[in-house]
Amino acid sequence: MKDYKKTIFIVIVIFQSIVVIILFHEIKLISNNTLGISINRIDSNKIKYNIDSKLEYFYEPVPNSTFEEVKTWVPYKVKYTINSDSLNERFEYKIQKDQGVFRIIAIGDSFTYGLYVSTINNFVKLLEDKLNSENRCNIIEKYEVINLGMEGYDTQYEVERYRIRGKKYNPDLVIWYITDPYRLTEKIREIQKTLPTDTPGNFYGSWEVAYKRINNLYSDMELFNFQIEKIKEFRLKYYNGPLLILAKKQFIDLLKNKFTGKNIYFGLTENMENKSKYRLPDSHFNEDGHRQMTEEILRELKGNKLMPCD
């Protein structure tokens, strides 16, 4: 009888352990998809592959395009304008900076891109407006903040985007917002290619299924280390100037051990990401969230003395 009870107890413990493991992975997935609304159902008509990329599935917005996003759960009209360099921008930017211009490049995923807010209302453009309207620096005539963000990107794609699009702009500062250190976009696309397309216009099959498989194949530390290696590549090959990385504490703590004292600065994003009033139902920032993110970045820039005249 005792052996029977012991067996039952062990079975229950094993079952509970399995449930906990499953929930852990589900929580990570839900953190990017709070209401089951995919954040990466990328319309194939709005993107194009870049044949100059070394990555098989590297994609960018279609240049010189304008389109609107209509979602029942987004309480305002969204309009994106993509310039001739495939950037979510209202302006064209000269390759050669004018005298007196301080140029910032923002890289990241859909949060930096400004998914579900109009181009003029994402934090990159709001930051540009704020810096220019409050400019008190005599040696700076104009600030330019250029948006290289794109939905679905991981650090590897963000580095590739900078190599292809950003490096030529010769920025004085780069701001890198890393929202998801668990993402491996190239491998996710490989898996998606094998899945049935569940909705017309989708970029291959289900992002959620592919994302979950990646998280089952790799440990958190393996995923973290992949991102760290790509940041090292970025610093060694493409940009070694002032860099502000924004991320959650767990990832920032790992980065500090690798990059402290190498002209890299860090800012935490928990204050923003944990407040539901700044988020849409799918977890992306709403317009208020982008306004608040602008203020958070300004504080980080000033606190780290990353701006001229500070």
Side-chain angles (χ1 to χ4, degrees):
M1 187 68 176
K2 287 183 179 181
D3 289 340
Y4 175 77
K5 289 182 178 180
K6 185 178 180 180
T7 301
I8 294 295
F9 176 77
I10 292 172
V11 170
I12 292 172
V13 169
I14 293 172
F15 177 77
Q16 288 176 335
S17 299
I18 292 171
V19 170
V20 168
I21 291 169
I22 293 171
L23 285 174
F24 175 75
H25 289 295
E26 291 296 333
I27 287 168
K28 289 204 297 186
L29 181 61
I30 290 169
S31 69
N32 289 292
N33 183 12
T34 56
L35 288 186
I37 300 167
S38 172
I39 65 172
N40 284 284
R41 295 194 182 282
I42 303 172
D43 190 333
S44 58
N45 295 317
K46 297 174 183 176
I47 62 171
K48 64 172 230 174
Y49 293 106
N50 190 318
I51 59 174
D52 295 325
S53 174
K54 59 186 178 182
L55 301 174
E56 183 176 357
Y57 302 103
F58 184 75
Y59 58 95
E60 299 179 291
V62 174
N64 296 313
S65 61
T66 301
F67 57 95
E68 296 180 352
E69 191 97 56
V70 179
K71 302 290 184 183
T72 57
W73 40 272
V74 178
Y76 43 76
K77 189 174 182 178
V78 177
K79 182 179 180 180
Y80 308 103
T81 57
I82 310 300
N83 72 9
S84 63
D85 204 22
S86 82
L87 309 179
N88 185 15
E89 286 288 355
R90 53 194 173 177
F91 305 134
E92 302 289 336
Y93 290 93
K94 297 179 181 178
I95 303 303
Q96 185 66 39
K97 285 183 294 187
D98 289 335
Q99 188 72 24
V101 169
F102 188 89
R103 180 171 282 174
I104 301 171
I105 280 183
I107 58 180
D109 61 8
S110 53
F111 282 77
T112 300
Y113 173 86
L115 193 62
Y116 305 135
V117 297
S118 295
T119 298
I120 59 172
N121 292 325
N122 67 56
F123 71 75
V124 180
K125 295 299 91 192
L126 297 178
L127 179 62
E128 184 177 68
D129 290 342
K130 192 89 168 179
L131 289 172
N132 282 304
S133 65
E134 298 181 358
N135 183 21
R136 301 293 184 269
C137 186
N138 293 331
I139 62 173
I140 300 299
E141 294 181 9
K142 183 182 180 182
Y143 291 93
E144 294 178 347
V145 189
I146 302 175
N147 192 345
L148 266 64
M150 180 56 186
E151 56 180 308
Y153 278 13
D154 66 349
T155 54
Q156 183 178 40
Y157 273 50
E158 288 153 8
V159 170
E160 184 73 345
R161 176 87 152 151
Y162 183 87
R163 181 186 74 82
I164 293 172
R165 301 294 176 187
K167 187 178 178 182
K168 64 180 180 285
Y169 290 110
N170 189 27
D172 300 291
L173 169 68
V174 170
I175 299 172
W176 196 342
Y177 183 18
I178 301 174
T179 67
D180 186 359
Y182 303 106
R183 186 184 300 160
L184 297 181
T185 299
E186 188 80 345
K187 291 190 177 296
I188 287 173
R189 297 307 184 207
E190 288 177 7
I191 294 173
Q192 281 187 287
K193 192 174 181 179
T194 68
L195 300 173
T197 301
D198 51 5
T199 304
N202 278 6
F203 189 93
Y204 296 129
S206 170
W207 170 278
E208 290 89 349
V209 171
Y211 183 98
K212 190 172 181 179
R213 286 188 187 177
I214 290 297
N215 278 266
N216 288 331
L217 288 171
Y218 299 95
S219 69
D220 287 353
M221 191 53 64
E222 286 176 315
L223 295 170
F224 285 151
N225 285 336
F226 178 85
Q227 319 303 339
I228 288 169
E229 289 305 310
K230 293 306 167 184
I231 296 171
K232 287 181 179 178
E233 178 184 340
F234 176 73
R235 297 298 283 172
L236 289 172
K237 293 184 177 180
Y238 308 122
Y239 177 78
N240 60 7
L243 170 64
L244 173 63
I245 296 181
L246 305 170
K248 294 180 180 179
K249 186 177 185 304
Q250 183 184 12
F251 194 46
I252 289 293
D253 287 344
L254 289 171
L255 293 176
K256 284 182 177 180
N257 291 330
K258 303 288 184 180
F259 297 102
T260 298
K262 298 180 181 178
N263 209 18
I264 300 184
Y265 307 84
F266 303 98
L268 299 177
T269 58
E270 267 87 356
N271 185 47
M272 279 293 303
E273 296 178 3
N274 292 337
K275 293 186 178 180
S276 60
K277 66 179 180 179
Y278 295 138
R279 289 177 171 269
L280 292 165
D282 79 320
S283 87
H284 282 95
F285 292 146
N286 56 27
E287 290 181 344
D288 287 339
H290 279 271
R291 283 189 284 270
Q292 184 60 32
M293 188 65 175
T294 304
E295 298 301 322
E296 297 285 333
I297 292 173
L298 283 169
R299 278 194 286 273
E300 293 291 347
L301 294 176
K302 293 176 181 178
N304 288 292
K305 300 187 181 302
L306 289 170
M307 303 304 291
C309 299
D310 280 346

